[in-house]
Amino acid sequence: MNNKQITIVEVAREAGVSIATVSNVLNKRNVPMAPETAAKVEEAAARLGYRRNTVAASLSRRKTNELGLLLPGFGGYYGQFAEAMELTAHRHGYHLSVYATGSDPEREQRHLETLLERRVDGLFCHGMAMKPESVGRIVRGGSPLVLFNAWEWPEDLAVAAVNLDFAGASAEAVRHLVERGCRTVYYAGTSKALMIDRQRRLGFRREADRLGDQVRTGMIHSEAGDPEEQVTTAAAEALAEGGPVGILAFDDRMALRILGRLLQAGIRVPEEVKLLGINNEWFSAAAYPTLTSMSIPYEKQAELAIHRLLSHLGEAEDGKDLPQAKGEVTVPLELTPRRSTEA
Amino acid sequence: MNNKQITIVEVAREAGVSIATVSNVLNKRNVPMAPETAAKVEEAAARLGYRRNTVAASLSRRKTNELGLLLPGFGGYYGQFAEAMELTAHRHGYHLSVYATGSDPEREQRHLETLLERRVDGLFCHGMAMKPESVGRIVRGGSPLVLFNAWEWPEDLAVAAVNLDFAGASAEAVRHLVERGCRTVYYAGTSKALMIDRQRRLGFRREADRLGDQVRTGMIHSEAGDPEEQVTTAAAEALAEGGPVGILAFDDRMALRILGRLLQAGIRVPEEVKLLGINNEWFSAAAYPTLTSMSIPYEKQAELAIHRLLSHLGEAEDGKDLPQAKGEVTVPLELTPRRSTEA
DNA sequence: TTGTAGGCGTTATCAG
DNA sequence: CTGATAACGCCTACAA
């Protein structure tokens, strides 16, 4: 930070007006004013190379116009989502800063506390690593919080929650596989402790139950070892009793890894095994064969979240008339069929 | 921002001391003090739920302890890099905020201006979309700037530049392919206008020249159409005159796409075509066959950059004795051999 | 239409 | 060791 900072005081002196006038001109406030006065100020500011000091402004206005977003990481889905959030926030006049926690409770806590101390106007958290009670203790009385994919979280902790409908997506995926002729369908997940995995299992199970004995199902999780390995073996065995076999992977990354195993085992996709993932990342269209996936409506998610936060701040732009402005919303994914599940 | 904020004034009243004392104990400043006074303050702060207001502190200290990082996006390499930067910054007592520009000059400019107005203590930019003159005009007199992968940029604009040695990596890749028996080697790039692509071409060409007629080379760019398509056709033709053929892709993403095309065309990797990318992203180890790549020393890059910035701020932690603390550094990549280039 | 003055919440300098 | 008090740079009634 420069020591010889130019302030509105200098600009005022240079322009021969008062600091209030400078402030008004520079912030384009609609106070009546002689055009020449404004011009004088503009020119003086430009000549001096004046740059607004937001920290002073924030302190004075008790508002920072800054938002914070906490994510487990920047890669894949999260990165895409962060960009959508950034854009949406800006469209509403806010600046969004993004941080990664690496799913580490300590890093998460540090970021939370720092942002609260910075008095951000709002906070978005995706996949919290900390326990609800700890979050509550930290966040209480601070900036409002909007959560993502927070099923089973206490209502009063956040002003809203925006959840992706992973359960619905899983169900749709199962249907898709069965419609394509799969008599056996596997879900290859990660840890059963992960909430996003639980949601997928839930939808998978629900649809399996609905389908009854039209289809045999199996669920694989990482607690029992390498899921890619397991599902490949399982699929190979099931194949012996008649195919094709369907596999729903936790996400596209896992789908890609499974694809590698299948090819390595000499199993043909989609002829013998049909495979699909979730997230629709770029490589799903690049892989060979291309991977069917469930895509995520990033813009919608972001718009929903920011709208809720702003409406909480009392800045709802009506007109839009989005669903109820607090509580929990569920956002559906969309099936994007590709070669890996073709008939 | 809450209206009924608890300030050190209330804490001071509650503890029955002055605000100066509160400030001292809360910031653990090493002023001599009665332990009981400190305890009283701590307790009062806890009881009242006091939370430090960094914006006021920043204004007063003329220092924010905040750093900003601008990236084209959050995905892949950039995301990994951002995480390393965040961690490194924290290790040095700073908080790093990350922003994506989408390689859009306007978004980039907005972020730059916002961060400058926020008086961040330092700024990191990776792959600027704006022209040097514009950046100079905006940044002048503001927070110090460290650039990444900024070849041919004016010296005085930034306090330092940390560049990846893509030229060297390309050269090493060519050598690797030739050693593995490739008599024809292609570089599949993107736009020739992209600086990071130019660097790769440079190294590729240099090594090709050095090798003389030991090897035939070809360079492909997106200006002439789909590079994945082109390189696949070219490789198929070259194959007719004897293989194996080597392909160095612009990055792992392109390598994965090319891999898909090759497999689709029935070309065997690595038997007929040997393929390698740059960045060593996660999927390079997941693809089938696994992809050879050049990995990036994220931590080193981050440490170098932050160290330079801090040393510019006069906070160099000596001892370390890193190379000269300003100007340009070049960071080498490291070959990570995998199946796709095996003999 | 423009100027004055009192915050905003902390830090830091000096006396006591 | 502790407590006033003047910055820090800007905003915003309220006055002129």
Side-chain angles (χ1 to χ4, degrees):
Chain A
M1 200 175 279
N2 216 313
N3 265 339
K4 49 189 179 65
Q5 225 179 136
I6 309 264
T7 75
I8 51 171
V9 177
E10 345 260 3
V11 177
R13 182 151 20 87
E14 176 85 9
V17 299
S18 79
I19 61 165
T21 305
V22 173
S23 179
N24 285 332
V25 172
L26 261 27
N27 291 291
K28 305 188 198 313
R29 273 191 274 273
N30 53 357
V31 291
M33 168 162 339
E36 48 195 29
T37 310
K40 268 194 311 190
V41 172
E42 300 276 20
E43 200 208 349
R47 188 170 20 193
L48 262 37
Y50 168 78
R51 176 154 32 216
R52 186 171 192 265
N53 183 330
T54 341
V55 4
S58 295
L59 177 59
S60 180
R61 304 189 342 185
R62 304 155 131 266
K63 158 135 197 166
T64 55
N65 264 282
E66 167 120 10
L67 265 23
L69 171 60
L70 260 53
L71 299 170
F74 293 118
Y77 157 77
Y78 293 117
Q80 300 266 109
F81 174 62
E83 263 200 77
M85 286 289 289
E86 202 177 285
L87 256 12
T88 309
H90 176 246
R91 210 177 305 125
H92 291 270
Y94 285 81
H95 198 224
L96 203 235
S97 304
V98 188
Y99 307 87
T101 66
S103 293
D104 171 356
E106 291 190 28
R107 274 168 76 187
E108 184 172 283
Q109 173 167 2
R110 269 209 349 262
H111 279 135
L112 267 180
E113 284 172 345
T114 308
L115 290 171
L116 255 13
E117 291 186 352
R118 257 183 221 308
R119 299 296 192 269
V120 293
D121 292 332
L123 223 32
F124 299 92
C125 294
H126 204 309
M128 307 259 8
M130 297 169 62
K131 293 195 301 294
E133 311 83 68
S134 319
V135 175
R137 206 174 321 115
I138 293 177
V139 140
R140 163 176 35 212
S143 322
L145 179 64
V146 171
L147 257 21
F148 293 97
N149 291 355
W151 299 273
E152 304 178 14
W153 271 61
E155 275 268 344
D156 57 322
L157 222 169
V159 309
V162 178
N163 299 336
L164 285 171
D165 185 14
F166 288 131
S170 279
E172 184 172 354
V174 172
R175 244 173 285 133
H176 178 74
L177 290 170
V178 171
E179 280 167 11
R180 292 298 193 282
C182 297
R183 302 274 303 143
T184 309
V185 176
Y186 289 103
Y187 169 69
T190 62
S191 165
K192 285 199 288 190
L194 252 187
M195 219 38 207
I196 44 179
D197 197 274
R198 292 248 289 274
Q199 291 292 315
R200 286 154 163 88
R201 298 188 126 78
L202 207 117
F204 185 88
R205 166 96 52 199
R206 197 163 60 204
E207 190 63 16
D209 289 349
R210 210 181 59 75
L211 258 23
D213 48 25
Q214 262 182 74
V215 58
R216 284 174 36 197
T217 58
M219 315 213 347
I220 280 141
H221 54 266
S222 63
E223 276 82 1
D226 182 357
E228 290 88 354
E229 185 66 40
Q230 285 182 71
V231 79
T232 305
T233 328
E237 286 168 9
L239 213 47
E241 309 179 14
V245 172
I247 300 179
L248 165 60
F250 170 74
D251 65 4
D252 286 2
R253 299 194 172 203
M254 181 168 290
L256 187 70
R257 287 190 298 259
I258 293 174
L259 179 61
R261 301 295 182 103
L262 291 170
L263 296 181
Q264 196 170 7
I267 297 175
R268 285 169 306 141
V269 177
E271 292 80 3
E272 299 179 299
V273 165
K274 299 193 195 306
L275 175 64
L276 95 187
I278 293 183
N279 277 2
N280 194 19
E281 293 198 50
W282 69 271
F283 57 84
S284 298
Y288 181 75
T290 56
L291 287 168
T292 296
S293 190
M294 307 287 310
S295 34
I296 291 173
Y298 294 109
E299 288 74 19
K300 187 167 194 175
Q301 230 186 139
E303 189 63 58
L304 237 28
I306 300 225
H307 177 268
R308 261 124 210 281
L309 183 72
L310 297 193
S311 98
H312 177 89
L313 294 178
E315 299 183 16
E317 22 245 74
D318 34 31
K320 298 295 187 78
D321 196 35
L322 293 167
Q324 79 281 8
K326 74 166 299 183
E328 205 173 306
V329 233
T330 300
V331 183
L333 312 211
E334 195 184 336
L335 181 71
T336 303
R338 294 211 183 81
R339 178 86 187 113
S340 71
T341 57
E342 273 179 14
Chain B
M1 199 175 283
N2 216 313
N3 265 340
K4 48 189 177 64
Q5 224 176 136
I6 309 263
T7 75
I8 52 172
V9 177
E10 346 259 5
V11 177
R13 182 153 16 89
E14 177 85 8
V17 300
S18 80
I19 62 167
T21 304
V22 173
S23 179
N24 284 334
V25 359
L26 259 28
N27 290 291
K28 304 186 200 312
R29 274 192 273 272
N30 55 356
V31 291
M33 168 161 339
E36 48 195 29
T37 311
K40 267 194 312 190
V41 172
E42 301 275 20
E43 199 210 349
R47 187 170 20 189
L48 263 37
Y50 168 78
R51 177 155 27 213
R52 185 172 190 267
N53 182 329
T54 335
V55 5
S58 294
L59 177 61
S60 181
R61 299 191 319 148
R62 302 158 131 266
K63 157 135 197 166
T64 55
N65 265 282
E66 167 120 10
L67 265 22
L69 171 60
L70 261 54
L71 299 171
F74 293 116
Y77 158 77
Y78 292 116
Q80 300 266 108
F81 175 63
E83 261 198 78
M85 286 288 291
E86 201 177 287
L87 255 12
T88 310
H90 176 246
R91 210 177 304 125
H92 291 270
Y94 285 82
H95 198 224
L96 204 234
S97 304
V98 188
Y99 307 88
T101 66
S103 292
D104 171 357
E106 291 189 29
R107 273 168 76 186
E108 184 171 285
Q109 172 166 1
R110 268 209 351 261
H111 279 135
L112 267 180
E113 284 172 346
T114 306
L115 290 171
L116 256 12
E117 292 186 351
R118 257 184 222 308
R119 298 297 191 269
V120 293
D121 292 331
L123 224 31
F124 300 92
C125 294
H126 204 310
M128 308 259 6
M130 298 169 62
K131 293 196 302 293
E133 310 84 65
S134 319
V135 176
R137 205 174 321 114
I138 293 177
V139 141
R140 166 177 30 215
S143 322
L145 179 64
V146 171
L147 257 21
F148 293 96
N149 291 354
W151 298 272
E152 306 178 13
W153 271 62
E155 274 268 343
D156 56 323
L157 221 168
V159 310
V162 177
N163 299 336
L164 286 171
D165 186 14
F166 288 131
S170 279
E172 185 172 352
V174 172
R175 244 174 286 133
H176 178 74
L177 290 170
V178 171
E179 281 167 10
R180 293 295 194 280
C182 298
R183 302 277 302 146
T184 308
V185 175
Y186 289 102
Y187 169 69
T190 61
S191 164
K192 285 198 288 191
L194 253 187
M195 220 36 206
I196 45 178
D197 197 274
R198 293 247 291 274
Q199 290 292 315
R200 287 154 161 86
R201 299 188 125 77
L202 207 117
F204 185 88
R205 165 96 54 197
R206 198 162 60 203
E207 191 62 17
D209 288 350
R210 211 181 58 77
L211 258 23
D213 47 25
Q214 264 183 74
V215 58
R216 284 173 37 196
T217 59
M219 316 216 341
I220 280 142
H221 52 266
S222 64
E223 276 82 1
D226 183 357
E228 290 87 354
E229 184 67 40
Q230 285 181 71
V231 79
T232 305
T233 329
E237 286 168 10
L239 213 46
E241 308 178 14
V245 172
I247 300 180
L248 166 60
F250 170 74
D251 64 5
D252 286 3
R253 299 195 172 202
M254 181 169 288
L256 187 71
R257 287 190 298 258
I258 292 173
L259 179 61
R261 301 294 181 102
L262 291 170
L263 296 180
Q264 196 170 7
I267 298 175
R268 285 170 306 141
V269 177
E271 292 80 1
E272 298 178 300
V273 166
K274 299 193 195 307
L275 174 65
L276 95 189
I278 293 182
N279 278 0
N280 194 20
E281 293 197 49
W282 69 272
F283 57 83
S284 298
Y288 180 75
T290 57
L291 286 167
T292 296
S293 190
M294 308 286 311
S295 35
I296 292 173
Y298 295 109
E299 289 74 20
K300 186 167 192 176
Q301 231 187 137
E303 190 62 58
L304 238 27
I306 300 227
H307 177 267
R308 262 123 210 281
L309 183 72
L310 296 193
S311 99
H312 176 89
L313 295 178
E315 298 183 18
E317 22 245 75
D318 34 30
K320 299 295 187 78
D321 196 36
L322 293 165
Q324 79 283 5
K326 73 167 297 179
E328 205 173 305
V329 234
T330 300
V331 183
L333 312 210
E334 195 184 336
L335 182 71
T336 302
R338 294 209 183 82
R339 178 87 186 111
S340 72
T341 58
E342 272 180 15

